[in-house]
Amino acid sequence: MTVKFQAMTLVAGSAEAETLVLTEPLSFWGGLDSATGRIIDQWHPEKNEVMSGRILVMRAGRGSSSGSSVLAEALRRGTGPAGIVLLARDAIVTVGAMVAAELYGRACPVVLASEADWTTITGAGSLAIDARNEAATIEI
């Protein structure tokens, strides 16, 4: 059975992949090895997980404005996530995906999910994102 949720597009695109659900926010700056797509933040609960080609599901980013460049670099190298689902707007994550799309032609849709749908989304093993204009759908 397919379930669709409405979401808000922060960066347009589409993706379908296995999920990587983060239990804590992640700073890409110092937290992601852009060469491998591996989480290297030694205090992060998902340390050593690889986000390459997966849909990253996290409540929010954890700052450092330089995180945008790390995410964009990972996307340029092909080691970044296939898409990102957030619960809270995050300008740093959004800018990183926008820069990768504009400079490198690497699409990584970023969408904003609702709190009401969050538990179901984080429990899914895979997701499909279709993000266009302002409206997006997340399909389980």
Side-chain angles (χ1 to χ4, degrees):
M1 182 173 116
T2 300
V3 179
K4 280 189 176 183
F5 300 99
Q6 298 301 309
M8 178 182 290
T9 299
L10 300 178
V11 180
S14 62
E16 182 173 352
E18 173 187 341
T19 59
L20 173 58
V21 179
L22 301 186
T23 57
E24 297 289 332
L26 175 70
S27 171
F28 291 105
W29 178 254
L32 172 67
D33 178 358
S34 64
T36 63
R38 185 174 304 279
I39 295 173
I40 57 172
D41 179 338
Q42 65 179 332
W43 293 282
H44 198 279
E46 281 76 37
K47 180 185 176 206
N48 290 322
E49 288 284 344
V50 175
M51 65 178 67
S52 303
R54 298 165 81 181
I55 293 179
L56 188 61
V57 180
M58 63 180 181
R59 287 187 161 275
R62 199 185 68 202
S64 183
S65 56
S66 300
S68 296
S69 62
V70 176
L71 175 60
E73 177 64 9
L75 292 169
R76 183 190 70 80
R77 291 174 174 234
T79 60
I84 301 173
V85 178
L86 298 169
L87 185 58
R89 285 181 186 266
D90 188 295
I92 293 166
V93 172
T94 302
V95 167
M98 291 173 74
V99 167
E102 190 68 27
L103 292 181
Y104 311 127
R106 301 285 185 154
C108 175
V110 180
V111 299
L112 192 62
S114 73
E115 181 78 43
D117 302 330
W118 191 249
T119 300
T120 305
I121 290 169
T122 57
S126 63
L127 296 172
I129 298 170
D130 184 18
R132 302 171 194 215
N133 300 322
E134 289 185 16
T137 58
I138 301 169
E139 187 174 311
I140 296 174

